[in-house]
Amino acid sequence: MSGRHFLQIPGPTNVPDRILRAIDAPTMDHRGPSFAALTRDILEHLPKIFKTEQPVLIFPASGTGAWEAALVNCLSPNDRVLMCETGQFASLWFHLAEKLGLSPQVIPTDWRRGADAAAIEERLREDTAHQIKAVCVVHNETSTGATSNIRAVREAIDRTGHPALLMVDTISSLASIDYRHDEWGVDVTVAGSQKGLMLPPGLSFNAISQKALATAEHATLPKAYWGWREILNANATGHFPYTPSTNLLYGLKTAVDMLLEEGLDSVFQRHARHAEATRTAVRAWGLEILCLEPAEYSNSLTAVLMPEGHDADQFRKTVLEHFDMSLGNGLGRLSGKVFRIGHLGDFNDLMLAGTLSGVEMGLKIAGIPYKVGGVQAALDYLASGSSPD
Ligand SMILES: *Cc1c(COP(=O)(O)O)cnc(C)c1O
């Protein structure tokens, strides 16, 4: 097929040409002085994306590695961990915690909303012996398109006076949806390279707090590759304890530069506008947005329910074959029931218009019942110059 593929899954996202050019450079000696200068530059500016003045650790790994790093650095065998099952990614983090020998406890949801801060508060109040060592929340649940209110979770924990750490997965929200590691008192923020950061997959991150670092000094789950202490010590001289993803770090420096040039507030506003335009189209098609709480609608993706009797994967296949566009599939219990439109990362009005056009034409070709006019409604919204809040 001629022209560019439309990669409209909610991660990996489209990598801008400027980042591709930065990555396309000779690999340098990762123990040499030029490399140390690059590391220092990244470690100085990257924390701004997390809105933190604490260290951010970089792993040569997918986001799953940073999930594991958060748990093994701060916790000990059999520790209780409170997790909110907002969808498939929260559920995967739960299973990872189980495999590591932790005792995760779940607050279930219907997979159509964010984490319930009041339920977290209640569980913590019941835990008078302070056996729960960490509360884990996925900020933006990529399987459902629901964003949790992390500030509300922090306030709920504070009201109980419970000492549990707060760990937040921002893999599909960082650099797309407002996030404040320090202000919201998060102890470990987990992030990945291939979503809002606009990089290829392969890097992931832990932003930490002084409390998390102090806890890590005596936590006893086995850890080697993921150990924070070794990484922090090496970072102090601009290095890493093992070979870092050199070329992805060139890309990371450029990604951070691009985000700070645009300004984080503008980045968030851009995502909010594209998300609202997408929802405008979905409503006009007469289809249902999976997330039930308007205050929790995700600005990085929209999950759309298929009408009864129609298979979302068949629809996605039609769109791929006719228009060379990838849409996100339904994950876990949502398999075949939803498709997901990614509208995050390096994205603009015309890319969104193309994406929504592909969806609307796909609905027609696949014989899905829908109302004509979603694309027009989205274009009208984009052209109106209005934006959410
Ligand atoms: C993509 C994603 C992950 C998984 O990250 P990998 O890079 O595939 O390991 C975890 N959590 C959320 C919220 C995600 O969107």
Side-chain angles (χ1 to χ4, degrees):
M1 276 212 178
S2 59
R4 283 211 179 182
H5 176 71
F6 266 64
L7 183 66
Q8 295 319 133
I9 56 175
T13 64
N14 297 289
V15 180
D17 292 346
R18 187 170 154 197
I19 291 181
L20 290 174
R21 284 198 297 273
I23 292 170
D24 179 15
T27 297
M28 64 164 96
D29 171 10
H30 65 285
R31 304 201 192 280
S34 312
F35 190 82
L38 171 71
T39 307
R40 285 210 189 85
D41 184 289
I42 291 173
L43 294 179
E44 180 185 341
H45 299 293
L46 175 63
K48 295 176 192 164
I49 309 297
F50 293 81
K51 298 195 179 166
T52 181
E53 291 179 1
Q54 312 294 321
V56 176
L57 294 106
I58 307 172
F59 306 100
S62 90
T64 302
W67 266 347
E68 178 160 341
L71 300 177
V72 297
N73 276 284
C74 294
L75 300 168
S76 301
N78 296 316
D79 272 356
R80 286 203 191 154
V81 184
L82 185 59
M83 300 181 120
C84 302
E85 201 207 310
T86 45
Q88 176 70 0
F89 287 100
S91 168
L92 289 172
W93 200 6
F94 168 86
H95 289 300
L96 189 143
E98 269 189 329
K99 287 177 196 157
L100 290 173
L102 294 165
S103 243
Q105 309 190 327
V106 155
I107 298 177
T109 75
D110 58 3
W111 286 34
R112 300 191 71 172
R113 65 194 74 244
D116 181 351
I120 293 172
E121 183 170 347
E122 197 182 311
R123 293 285 191 103
L124 292 180
R125 278 198 202 288
E126 285 163 14
D127 179 37
T128 47
H130 293 172
Q131 286 179 313
I132 294 170
K133 301 300 177 194
V135 175
C136 297
V137 181
V138 174
H139 183 212
N140 184 71
E141 179 48 78
T142 322
S143 61
T144 66
T147 305
S148 292
N149 185 338
I150 302 303
R151 188 199 297 273
V153 171
R154 173 77 266 166
E155 287 169 359
I157 297 173
D158 287 349
R159 276 194 297 274
T160 66
H162 196 292
L165 297 171
L166 174 58
M167 299 189 180
V168 181
D169 170 346
T170 64
I171 297 179
S172 65
S173 57
L174 191 81
S176 303
I177 299 169
D178 190 16
Y179 183 76
R180 308 173 184 198
H181 176 88
D182 285 359
E183 190 184 320
W184 295 346
V186 180
D187 293 296
V188 187
T189 296
V190 174
S193 56
Q194 75 272 29
K195 298 181 187 179
L197 284 177
M198 309 177 287
L199 292 160
L203 291 179
S204 56
F205 311 90
N206 278 173
I208 61 179
S209 69
Q210 289 306 315
K211 181 175 164 188
L213 197 54
T215 308
E217 303 297 342
H218 54 82
T220 60
L221 272 181
K223 57 189 160 290
Y225 187 76
W226 306 114
W228 287 347
R229 179 42 61 202
E230 290 80 355
I231 298 173
L232 290 172
N233 289 348
N235 281 177
T237 61
H239 297 96
F240 290 87
Y242 36 73
T243 315
S245 304
T246 314
N247 290 53
L248 285 180
L249 292 175
Y250 303 159
L252 177 59
K253 178 188 156 35
T254 304
V256 171
D257 286 349
M258 288 174 73
L259 289 165
L260 296 177
E261 283 165 18
E262 184 176 352
L264 286 179
D265 289 341
S266 307
V267 171
F268 301 146
Q269 195 56 38
R270 171 163 61 78
H271 282 78
R273 218 175 130 259
H274 289 149
E276 183 55 30
T278 303
R279 293 188 293 263
T280 301
V282 174
R283 289 187 198 106
W285 288 323
L287 299 179
E288 193 180 346
I289 296 165
L290 180 68
C291 177
L292 289 173
E293 295 290 338
E296 296 175 334
Y297 283 151
S298 168
N299 286 342
S300 42
L301 76 133
T302 301
V304 184
L305 272 167
M306 267 288 148
E308 274 297 315
H310 294 272
D311 179 36
D313 290 337
Q314 198 54 43
F315 165 68
R316 289 174 45 253
K317 188 161 170 272
T318 302
V319 171
L320 180 63
E321 282 171 4
H322 283 80
F323 305 112
D324 196 23
M325 175 162 76
S326 297
L327 295 169
N329 62 336
L331 296 171
R333 67 164 88 144
L334 295 170
S335 176
K337 297 194 170 73
V338 304
F339 66 92
R340 295 173 299 144
I341 303 172
H343 33 74
L344 74 165
D346 185 45
F347 202 52
N348 62 31
D349 289 11
L350 294 188
M351 291 166 86
L352 178 63
T355 300
L356 296 175
S357 298
V359 172
E360 186 159 334
M361 289 188 285
L363 290 169
K364 186 179 175 81
I365 295 167
I368 314 275
Y370 76 104
K371 294 201 217 80
V372 174
V375 171
Q376 188 60 53
L379 298 185
D380 290 344
Y381 174 78
L382 290 173
S384 74
S386 57
S387 58
D389 36 67

